[in-house]
Amino acid sequence: QKMHASPSGRGGARWATSRGRAGASKHHNLGPGSRNHRYTTRAVSPCGEERELPVSSFRRAALRKGVDDELSNRWIDLDPSGYFLIRIDDARGVICAEHFLNTINADGQACDPLTGEVIPCDGSYKPRVHKSFSARTAKELSVAILEKEAEERGTVTLLVHANYLGREFQRAEDCLARGSRYIQD
């Protein structure tokens, strides 16, 4: 590709063609005081929304995703007070969190509190909801569960569980605001 001197004469250059490299597309921004060019690429947010990002931001996003993926695969002790299934209700404009009871066996597996059977992860297990919560924002939901609920018998007893819920509530709020699909991690 050929480069030409900047029209302002202040140095710098602009690309003569809009072909990008390595799958990136070319974005021209020749306005006053701006960079003469930058490369962009398509990226997908955790909620599935696509948008253009500068390559440097794309690389940082890829690095963050790699770190997140690695951390998602680490061992975390399950909370003996139970677990939450989180979803968004677009019609009502709220984040919903349903709490389910469980026990933890000697191998660290979640078990049905009535039968003692290990809870399968294939969707076939249909437990009874212990408590339901809904809120307009991640903060409102966190306060309801982690502060107000803690005054009674808490539904969260481990800090790692509270940390996980905070991240998931924030992701759910982001998807709700964007009108995107939310899938719990």
Side-chain angles (χ1 to χ4, degrees):
Q1 295 182 355
K2 296 180 181 179
M3 294 186 73
H4 300 282
S6 128
S8 68
R10 293 184 302 213
R14 64 178 172 84
W15 292 97
T17 142
S18 63
R19 278 193 2 223
R21 55 185 170 157
S25 63
K26 193 68 183 303
H27 174 73
H28 292 280
N29 186 354
L30 299 173
S34 66
R35 293 183 139 175
N36 290 336
H37 70 276
R38 70 173 191 223
Y39 285 97
T40 60
T41 191
R42 305 279 308 154
V44 180
S45 76
C47 297
E49 180 180 296
E50 289 189 36
R51 65 181 182 152
E52 290 262 327
L53 291 176
V55 168
S56 59
S57 295
F58 176 75
R59 287 188 183 131
R60 286 192 300 270
L63 177 62
R64 284 192 307 270
K65 181 166 178 10
V67 169
D68 283 351
D69 289 347
E70 183 179 329
L71 291 172
S72 289
N73 289 315
R74 75 191 188 286
W75 176 265
I76 297 177
D77 289 334
L78 298 175
D79 196 326
S81 69
Y83 61 95
F84 285 88
L85 294 181
I86 303 164
R87 63 183 172 79
I88 56 176
D89 183 338
D90 285 314
R92 293 176 36 218
V94 296
I95 307 161
C96 302
E98 295 176 325
H99 182 260
F100 299 88
L101 295 174
N102 63 238
T103 59
I104 308 298
N105 69 14
D107 295 327
Q109 297 170 310
C111 299
D112 182 284
L114 300 176
T115 66
E117 296 288 322
V118 173
I119 297 173
C121 296
D122 61 7
S124 63
Y125 178 68
K126 304 294 183 207
R128 189 178 64 103
V129 174
H130 174 241
K131 291 189 176 184
S132 292
F133 302 89
S134 63
R136 297 161 293 190
T137 67
K139 184 182 282 187
E140 185 179 33
L141 191 55
S142 293
V143 167
I145 293 172
L146 300 174
E147 294 176 22
K148 293 178 183 173
E149 178 68 16
E151 294 170 3
E152 302 171 22
R153 182 193 176 279
T155 53
V156 178
T157 60
L158 298 178
L159 290 177
V160 294
H161 193 201
N163 187 31
Y164 162 78
L165 289 172
R167 288 191 313 271
E168 286 302 307
F169 295 160
Q170 192 60 53
R171 284 184 57 241
E173 180 181 331
D174 185 50
C175 291
L176 183 63
R178 294 174 188 269
S180 303
R181 184 172 177 227
Y182 167 76
I183 300 172
Q184 186 172 349
D185 185 16

